[in-house]
Amino acid sequence: MAVEKSMASASLAEVVDRILDKGVVVDAWVRVSLVGIEILAIEARAVVSGVDTFLKYAEAVGLTAAAA
Amino acid sequence: MDSQGKYLYCIIRCPHERTFDSVTPMGNMPVPVFTVPHDGLSLVVSDSPVQQYETTRAHMMAHERVLERVMKEHSLLPVRFGTVADPGVTIQGLQKLLQTRVQEFHQLLADIDGKAELGLKALWQDEKAIFSEVLAENPSIRRLRDSLAGRPAQAVRYEGIRLGQMVKDALERKRKGEAAHILAQVQPIAVRTRENVVVGDRMVLNAAFLVETTREGEFDQAVRRLEQGLGQRLAFKYVGPVPPYNFVNIVVNWERL
């Protein structure tokens, strides 16, 4: 088949998608340091909430305003 | 070895002590991955220093590979990445963790028995083509764009934002429509389905399915048909069987045990 079925360990993205925020949680034990992940999430939110995002979508459909 | 904690991988049904060969534990140390049994259940653990494991490729892959190894022989309840019991927690303490929720764990394992989690993502192959379709399908977007064309950027800032919002909404409607079409082909084969957040503009679907292993071949066929029918338009990423992270979500409060 053209679409290959693989184990999750074949792709880091597939692993990240699962093991960091799902599954059995044991409260109060040492867990993953999410510092890096949180920064990524904050950056993603900043982009999503920004005016620039909408302007990016406007550009994607060919809005070409004259330079100011 | 007093400073050693225990890294937790998963919970399985296994009444005795055993080790899992052919697998490298977290921390890449020459220590065994072994079971701590209690009441028909076992925690699968390895000795580990008490530390916050950074989310590096090596660490995450090591965790995943241990689960995939255990999965060859057992239904399992996967534990979240980076869970380490501190050295003060004895073997009896670990057993207590199983003891307090023994019925629930048995029930969850019974739910998972004979089933496999499969993952399917679909992404638009060509983002530009999709934006062209959005334009073609939405005359109001086209009209607004044309009315703004060539005017100074400052003068059309607010309308540009409105245009972007319209595009974003139209894209989301399109995404949902195509996701529903894909789901309709595979969801009926699954026992349970979970849709996760899509990431980026290209991703149409990010879903996990719990499928009876007897029907896994049927699911493969359905994905193959999707690929044959939509492969020009959509790239499919299909994984499985994977540890059932999407269908096991429980919190055990250690301090209240």
Side-chain angles (χ1 to χ4, degrees):
Chain A
M1 75 200 264
V3 53
E4 264 183 54
K5 184 182 187 184
S6 45
M7 297 303 288
S9 58
S11 155
L12 184 63
E14 293 291 347
V15 173
V16 169
D17 227 17
R18 293 185 168 75
I19 69 174
L20 296 184
D21 65 348
K22 302 182 180 83
V24 179
V25 173
V26 184
D27 235 18
W29 285 2
V30 173
R31 272 213 309 280
V32 59
S33 160
L34 281 174
V35 176
I37 301 291
E38 278 163 12
I39 289 168
L40 276 178
I42 289 163
E43 282 173 358
R45 268 199 301 278
V47 169
V48 167
S49 65
V51 159
D52 286 348
T53 303
F54 295 120
L55 292 176
K56 186 198 77 177
Y57 282 119
E59 278 169 28
V61 292
L63 175 65
T64 50
Chain B
M1 296 292 274
D2 272 344
S3 62
Q4 289 290 308
K6 295 278 185 292
Y7 188 96
L8 265 68
Y9 301 95
C10 55
I11 296 166
I12 59 175
R13 201 183 295 105
C14 175
H16 50 78
E17 290 177 21
R18 64 160 291 183
T19 58
F20 289 93
D21 57 11
S22 316
V23 73
T24 309
M26 288 295 285
N28 198 24
M29 290 175 302
V31 295
V33 173
F34 64 98
T35 57
V36 176
H38 183 78
D39 217 349
L41 299 171
S42 279
L43 290 168
V44 177
V45 304
S46 62
D47 286 342
S48 159
V50 176
Q51 65 174 73
Q52 290 200 336
Y53 280 97
E54 286 179 46
T55 52
T56 60
R57 166 181 281 269
H59 286 155
M60 291 192 282
M61 284 299 179
H63 176 103
E64 175 72 20
R65 290 209 176 95
V66 171
L67 293 184
E68 287 180 359
R69 167 67 185 84
V70 174
M71 244 172 54
K72 286 182 182 169
E73 295 178 54
H74 292 275
S75 298
L76 61 81
L77 306 178
V79 174
R80 190 168 297 189
F81 175 84
T83 304
V84 186
D86 72 48
V89 180
T90 59
I91 291 294
Q92 289 74 25
L94 290 170
Q95 290 171 326
K96 201 168 129 200
L97 175 73
L98 293 174
Q99 174 60 44
T100 50
R101 306 285 280 266
V102 68
Q103 290 307 324
E104 189 181 359
F105 290 145
H106 273 296
Q107 183 58 51
L108 284 165
L109 282 164
D111 284 348
I112 297 296
D113 274 340
K115 302 183 190 79
E117 178 176 324
L118 308 175
L120 184 65
K121 290 186 170 76
L123 298 98
W124 280 314
Q125 300 271 22
D126 182 353
E127 202 177 341
K128 279 188 176 170
I130 298 303
F131 282 115
S132 298
E133 289 178 21
V134 165
L135 265 181
E137 293 158 3
N138 296 274
S140 58
I141 290 177
R142 216 162 52 233
R143 275 196 302 275
L144 180 58
R145 183 202 62 178
D146 292 346
S147 76
L148 304 179
R151 290 169 58 192
Q154 288 307 313
V156 301
R157 185 171 174 80
Y158 288 106
E159 281 168 306
I161 292 168
R162 189 161 69 86
L163 175 65
Q165 268 170 335
M166 288 165 72
V167 172
K168 187 170 183 283
D169 291 348
L171 197 65
E172 180 61 15
R173 282 194 301 275
K174 199 173 180 61
R175 190 191 71 69
K176 281 189 174 155
E178 295 195 26
H181 175 71
I182 297 166
L183 277 177
Q185 312 303 311
V186 286
Q187 190 164 10
I189 306 166
V191 179
R192 275 192 276 165
T193 299
R194 176 171 164 174
E195 274 190 85
N196 286 312
V197 175
V198 294
V199 183
D201 286 339
R202 284 182 55 219
M203 197 180 287
V204 171
L205 177 75
N206 180 13
F209 305 87
L210 195 65
V211 178
E212 300 271 3
T213 44
T214 52
R215 299 190 74 182
E216 200 180 329
E218 195 183 335
F219 200 96
D220 291 349
Q221 293 282 351
V223 173
R224 192 176 312 174
R225 278 196 301 275
L226 278 169
E227 211 281 333
Q228 281 164 355
L230 300 168
Q232 295 288 323
R233 178 179 185 77
L234 292 163
F236 290 94
K237 292 182 180 176
Y238 184 34
V239 294
V242 296
Y245 270 101
N246 281 286
F247 301 100
V248 176
N249 276 297
I250 45 172
V251 176
V252 182
N253 194 314
W254 174 250
E255 285 173 341
R256 285 195 210 139
L257 291 187

